[in-house]
Amino acid sequence: MSVIKDPFQELEPDVSCPPQLKDELISEIDTIRNSLTVVELYASDFLKVTTTFLNAILTK
């Protein structure tokens, strides 16, 4: 019976990440997440205003 070798095991490094690099990566991910939250808030408000404006124009 042959053993199936997992190709993803070869992609994972044997060394660990330095703590400083880990903190920097987490900080970058938090910055991206916060930026996307701000964009989502403003984009949703903009779309609500645009939809309301278009509905007011089209219903007259």
Side-chain angles (χ1 to χ4, degrees):
M1 190 160 137
S2 65
V3 177
I4 299 174
K5 191 173 183 181
D6 187 11
F8 293 107
Q9 289 289 344
E10 295 175 9
L11 296 176
E12 294 182 12
D14 295 336
V15 296
S16 62
C17 181
Q20 182 181 1
L21 179 61
K22 185 177 179 179
D23 291 341
E24 290 177 10
L25 286 172
I26 291 172
S27 175
E28 289 295 323
I29 291 170
D30 286 340
T31 302
I32 293 168
R33 181 177 35 196
N34 292 340
S35 299
L36 289 175
T37 301
V38 169
V39 168
E40 180 185 1
L41 287 173
Y42 284 113
S44 67
D45 287 345
F46 177 74
L47 291 175
K48 285 179 191 175
V49 169
T50 305
T51 304
T52 304
F53 179 70
L54 289 175
N55 283 338
I57 291 175
L58 295 175
T59 56
K60 285 187 176 183

